[in-house]
Amino acid sequence: MTFDSLLHKIPEIKSVNLLGIEAQALMVPKERRPYLKVDDFISNNPRYSAVMMLLYPKEQETSLLLIERSNGGGVHSGQVGFPGGKYEVEDQTLEVTALRETDEEVGIKANQIEILKAFTRVYIPPSNFIVQPYLGIMDTTPHVELSVDEVANIIEMPLSTLLDDTIIKEVGLQTSYAELIDVPAYIYNDYTIWGATAMMLSELKETLKQVL
């Protein structure tokens, strides 16, 4: 959809009810379903992080920024995700975390981004993190400067592509909760987007469909 069309929908996006784990569950296999309710895992003493789902204009259309993480040997190395990272005490809030990490990873400054709303948290069992996604928007195409230690590439997905059900496929993957299972994933430009990122994308997609 055009970016101008999206701008006219901003008040509705800010006020629309989130679809929560109902929408997230559309992109998880049955083996992952026991981990959908974040509050069930507070007793695990999880760490906290935040990510930025950033919308912006790209040649008049609306794009969504994703990143391919560098292969640094971590649990999520090489995977596709959103800019973001671990909460630090000096951040004060998780919103600050999302903005700071977006700056550190892709060079987009906090004052360029308007936060529209917080989305539903996701629990990530392998790393014992609770992740808080935020939906942000900026009115220009970002100039990106990658932190090469953390980010291998950026992926600019048109919002119209996310809203297209044909990019959802079942793929066989080895996961933390099963050796080899069929996992729902978004396939875009040869990237396989699954797990927590797919859950967040699913809630974003289903939420926006209510107003677009």
Side-chain angles (χ1 to χ4, degrees):
M1 69 179 302
T2 67
F3 190 71
D4 282 346
S5 298
L6 178 74
L7 290 178
H8 286 102
K9 296 291 185 178
I10 294 301
E12 292 175 69
I13 292 171
K14 287 181 176 180
S15 62
V16 69
N17 291 327
L18 296 175
L19 297 179
I21 62 175
E22 175 187 348
Q24 293 174 352
L26 298 174
M27 292 302 292
V28 300
K30 66 180 184 300
E31 292 85 352
R32 177 68 170 79
R33 291 178 183 272
Y35 301 99
L36 283 170
K37 294 182 179 179
V38 170
D39 288 343
D40 290 348
F41 302 96
I42 299 298
S43 61
N44 289 5
N45 194 27
R47 294 174 291 173
Y48 290 83
S49 63
V51 299
M52 182 66 66
M53 304 186 295
L54 183 61
L55 300 172
Y56 57 90
K58 178 80 172 181
E59 296 174 354
Q60 322 243 314
E61 295 300 309
T62 304
S63 275
L64 175 67
L65 184 70
L66 294 135
I67 60 171
E68 179 188 12
R69 297 212 165 272
S70 299
N71 281 304
V75 174
H76 306 294
S77 292
Q79 293 183 8
V80 175
F82 294 109
K86 185 172 62 174
Y87 170 81
E88 304 289 352
V89 175
E90 59 269 24
D91 289 339
Q92 298 184 332
T93 69
L94 285 165
E95 182 175 313
V96 171
T97 301
L99 291 166
R100 174 182 56 76
E101 286 281 348
T102 300
D103 184 5
E104 291 178 4
E105 292 189 338
V106 295
I108 300 172
K109 304 300 181 186
N111 62 8
Q112 297 177 279
I113 299 171
E114 177 190 355
I115 300 288
L116 299 183
K117 67 193 305 164
F119 271 63
T120 304
R121 299 180 301 169
V122 176
Y123 178 65
I124 304 181
S127 52
N128 194 32
F129 264 96
I130 291 174
V131 183
Q132 173 64 69
Y134 290 92
L135 179 62
I137 192 169
M138 55 186 299
D139 58 11
T140 58
T141 305
H143 172 70
V144 173
E145 295 181 6
L146 301 185
S147 169
V148 294
D149 291 338
E150 299 180 272
V151 181
N153 291 296
I154 64 162
I155 303 159
E156 297 180 292
M157 178 188 285
L159 186 58
S160 58
T161 298
L162 174 63
L163 297 173
D164 182 356
D165 290 339
T166 64
I167 69 167
I168 299 174
K169 310 291 182 185
E170 292 280 335
V171 297
L173 290 174
Q174 182 173 338
T175 73
S176 62
Y177 38 86
E179 277 298 310
L180 184 65
I181 58 173
D182 288 332
V183 175
Y186 297 98
I187 308 298
Y188 175 65
N189 282 359
D190 296 325
Y191 289 104
T192 299
I193 308 167
W194 63 286
T197 302
M199 292 166 65
M200 296 176 210
L201 282 171
S202 183
E203 188 185 23
L204 176 61
K205 171 184 176 178
E206 298 302 320
T207 300
L208 291 180
K209 280 168 59 176
Q210 297 179 86
V211 300
L212 299 182

PDB file of all heavy atoms in Angstrom, residues 38 132 176:
ATOM      1  N   VAL A  38       3.143 -15.553  27.886  1.00  0.00           N
ATOM      2  CA  VAL A  38       4.398 -15.024  28.440  1.00  0.00           C
ATOM      3  C   VAL A  38       4.406 -15.078  29.969  1.00  0.00           C
ATOM      4  O   VAL A  38       5.416 -15.433  30.589  1.00  0.00           O
ATOM      5  CB  VAL A  38       4.626 -13.582  27.944  1.00  0.00           C
ATOM      6  CG1 VAL A  38       5.782 -12.923  28.692  1.00  0.00           C
ATOM      7  CG2 VAL A  38       4.904 -13.583  26.449  1.00  0.00           C
ATOM      8  N   GLN A 132       9.732  -7.419  23.846  1.00  0.00           N
ATOM      9  CA  GLN A 132       8.651  -6.440  23.681  1.00  0.00           C
ATOM     10  C   GLN A 132       8.790  -5.781  22.301  1.00  0.00           C
ATOM     11  O   GLN A 132       9.739  -5.045  22.058  1.00  0.00           O
ATOM     12  CB  GLN A 132       8.729  -5.371  24.761  1.00  0.00           C
ATOM     13  CG  GLN A 132       7.744  -4.218  24.583  1.00  0.00           C
ATOM     14  CD  GLN A 132       6.308  -4.680  24.686  1.00  0.00           C
ATOM     15  OE1 GLN A 132       5.840  -5.060  25.740  1.00  0.00           O
ATOM     16  NE2 GLN A 132       5.576  -4.643  23.567  1.00  0.00           N
ATOM     17  N   SER A 176      14.603 -25.638  18.842  1.00  0.00           N
ATOM     18  CA  SER A 176      14.965 -25.934  20.228  1.00  0.00           C
ATOM     19  C   SER A 176      13.999 -26.907  20.884  1.00  0.00           C
ATOM     20  O   SER A 176      14.296 -27.477  21.927  1.00  0.00           O
ATOM     21  CB  SER A 176      15.013 -24.634  21.043  1.00  0.00           C
ATOM     22  OG  SER A 176      13.735 -24.031  21.064  1.00  0.00           O
TER      23      SER A 176
END
